Amino acid sequence: MVPLVQGYSTEMSQEVTSLGVQVHGGMGFIEETGAAQYYRDARILTIYEGTTAIQANDLVGRKTARDGGQQALALAARIEVTERELREQGGDNAQATAQCLGAARKAFVDAVEFIVAQSKTNPNAVYAGSVPYLMLAGNLMAGWQLSRALLAAEKQLATGNEAAFMQAKIAVARFYAEHILPRTASLREAIVHGADSVTALALEAF
Ligand SMILES: Cc1cc2nc3c(=O)[nH]c(=O)nc-3n(C[C@H](O)[C@H](O)[C@H](O)COP(=O)(O)OP(=O)(O)OC[C@H]3O[C@@H](n4cnc5c(N)ncnc54)[C@H](O)[C@@H]3O)c2cc1C
């Protein structure tokens, strides 16, 4: 999880704080709202937490390929348990979230299998997709935790405890599942099919 915390979270902070500026429009870009300050402060995070590519290389090499994908696949199995719990819990929000989580988990498993299969014979192809793999794994793990939050929030809601807060938790989890988790499909494509174009240009071309 360390590369995901330091790499994925910090990459997402760029997107979130950039959107914060966008939401405030011109007022966001100038200094009055404070939104630009968050964006500027976030910009260093992907560098001083260890750069994204270095975190991604660690995730591919030491955290995934070294044990033949065992830990990664064990996490996927735990995610599958959450999918089952969502389906058993029932209700539109849980069902929709289970479906998106399942698709994202499958994309992750495909990426892990690609990495394990290619890491010895074709390491360049594996490392070419390291940042997309970091983002895929991070997206999935975040979606998994939000799914668990949805499960907990629905149980609390049934008791009438802090209803508005619980409804917000559920809505955020479903939004993430339907709008952010599907990114894993395109990241999977980039990882599994995109290696050649990364290394296509000769060094002299730079
Ligand atoms: C304000 C600030 C505070 C800091 N505080 C701390 C601190 O408290 N503790 C600490 O230990 N360090 C700290 N650092 C150092 C920080 O950890 C490094 O800046 C960081 O690890 C990046 O190293 P670098 O700047 O030498 O970049 P480089 O390693 O030169 O990387 C440059 C670029 O090349 C890419 N790259 C490099 N190698 C590879 C590779 N093998 N494969 C693919 N891409 C690669 C990188 O991803 C990056 O985009 C701080 C830095 C700053 C700017």
Side-chain angles (χ1 to χ4, degrees):
M1 289 297 165
V2 171
L4 301 187
V5 172
Q6 292 189 269
Y8 169 74
S9 304
T10 55
E11 281 293 331
M12 286 305 274
S13 76
Q14 314 297 311
E15 183 176 337
V16 169
T17 53
S18 172
L19 281 172
V21 171
Q22 188 72 21
V23 166
H24 287 89
M27 289 296 283
F29 184 73
I30 61 171
E31 299 302 321
E32 287 180 25
T33 58
Q37 181 71 51
Y38 286 117
Y39 192 14
R40 201 163 48 249
D41 289 351
R43 193 60 196 86
I44 187 60
L45 301 178
T46 54
I47 299 169
Y48 74 16
E49 289 294 332
T51 59
T52 303
I54 297 297
Q55 297 294 353
N57 286 351
D58 182 37
L59 184 67
V60 166
R62 291 194 293 187
K63 307 292 194 287
T64 304
R66 189 159 70 178
D67 71 356
Q70 278 182 42
Q71 278 298 325
L73 294 176
L75 278 165
R78 289 177 63 186
I79 293 168
E80 211 173 346
V81 171
T82 303
E83 288 163 38
R84 228 172 12 248
E85 288 169 353
L86 286 164
R87 281 196 297 273
E88 283 164 11
Q89 185 142 312
D92 285 355
N93 292 316
Q95 296 301 327
T97 302
Q99 196 174 343
C100 298
L101 190 62
R105 172 183 49 80
K106 287 188 192 121
F108 174 70
V109 169
D110 285 352
V112 171
E113 285 171 352
F114 173 80
I115 288 168
V116 171
Q118 304 281 324
S119 62
K120 290 214 168 63
T121 51
N122 196 4
N124 281 351
V126 168
Y127 285 94
S130 66
V131 172
Y133 176 59
L134 173 86
M135 297 308 286
L136 193 170
N139 264 315
L140 174 63
M141 297 306 154
W144 176 32
Q145 296 310 310
L146 284 167
S147 300
R148 294 180 63 223
L150 183 148
L151 284 167
E154 287 199 337
K155 289 198 177 97
Q156 288 295 314
L157 196 59
T159 71
N161 191 18
E162 294 189 79
F165 178 77
M166 298 306 160
Q167 274 157 352
K169 281 281 182 200
I170 294 163
V172 166
R174 182 167 176 175
F175 175 86
Y176 187 97
E178 292 186 335
H179 289 266
I180 314 293
L181 271 182
R183 292 180 188 181
T184 53
S186 59
L187 291 164
R188 175 207 175 277
E189 290 302 303
I191 297 160
V192 174
H193 299 299
D196 288 349
S197 57
V198 175
T199 50
L201 279 180
L203 273 183
E204 297 73 42
F206 287 90

